[in-house]
Amino acid sequence: ICTAFTTEIDEPELAVREIVEQLDAVGGLKKNSVGIVSCHADFLESGAVAALQEELSFPLVGITSLGSATQGQYGVDLLSLCVLSSDTVTFSVALTDSLEHAQESAIEGAYVRAAGALSETPSLVLAFAPMLNHVGGERLLKYLDRAGKGTPVFGTLTCDHNYDFCAAHVLYNGEHHKD
């Protein structure tokens, strides 16, 4: 596991350089990696998250958040990256279809796609869910638990700095999605 961060919202190239330098400083990554991003919504508007995905050779997933933290740094205007990397553990990512309707089938479909890309049954699910006004996180978790047949789940709901969560997004491979 290695972490990196940047506070550079307005210049995506500088943000990417700061993150890459921090990752390089801790040594090379293993054969299999996945990155978990938490950031202020402004990092999406500036293009920093998309630029980071273009630079890195592994998938990025995560959320917008009101605050982010990593070793030695925390704050509102922060993009944090946690990279899970292993020669023996494999990772697979999938994005659901819109969760505005038919949440159970969308979640099951994403689980099947992610699990199908692995050679073994998943032993852990990391879930990053959207903030929806009409669907509570407990319902999404129930459907994910059912799809994964009890596989342990760890994750969070997205949020942002607005009272109505209008800028809250789930992050997936450099793109962002509200639903």
Side-chain angles (χ1 to χ4, degrees):
I1 296 176
C2 58
T3 60
F5 70 92
T6 184
T7 57
E8 183 51 61
I9 293 175
D10 298 323
E11 295 185 46
E13 300 81 18
L14 181 56
V16 169
R17 186 169 52 237
E18 288 179 355
I19 294 284
V20 169
E21 286 174 357
Q22 291 171 58
L23 294 178
D24 288 346
V26 296
L29 297 175
K30 308 290 186 193
K31 182 171 74 169
N32 307 306
S33 298
V34 66
I36 302 169
V37 175
S38 174
C39 66
H40 191 280
D42 288 349
F43 282 97
L44 304 179
E45 286 186 31
S46 74
V49 172
L52 186 59
Q53 181 62 80
E54 286 179 24
E55 179 69 25
L56 299 176
S57 61
F58 50 86
L60 297 179
V61 295
I63 58 160
T64 57
S65 181
L66 184 56
S68 298
T70 187
Q71 293 174 322
Q73 187 70 28
Y74 61 90
V76 175
D77 297 331
L78 185 82
L79 181 148
S80 66
L81 172 65
C82 174
V83 180
L84 306 177
S85 190
S86 175
D87 286 331
T88 58
V89 175
T90 56
F91 307 98
S92 177
V93 299
L95 181 69
T96 66
D97 293 332
S98 172
L99 295 176
E100 288 293 333
H101 308 285
Q103 295 91 19
E104 188 168 15
S105 62
I107 289 170
E108 182 178 348
Y111 181 87
V112 167
R113 287 190 308 278
L118 300 171
S119 60
E120 298 177 13
T121 302
S123 56
L124 177 67
V125 172
L126 299 176
F128 304 99
M131 182 67 72
L132 301 172
N133 291 330
H134 63 288
V135 182
E138 73 283 353
R139 186 185 315 172
L140 301 178
L141 182 57
K142 178 178 83 172
Y143 297 151
L144 186 53
D145 183 59
R146 189 177 296 156
K149 298 179 176 76
T151 302
V153 176
F154 179 82
T156 190
L157 293 172
T158 187
C159 67
D160 71 27
H161 56 285
N162 299 292
Y163 73 93
D164 62 354
F165 303 113
C166 64
H169 288 86
V170 171
L171 312 176
Y172 178 78
N173 288 339
E175 301 174 349
H176 53 280
H177 304 271
K178 289 201 55 72
D179 60 353

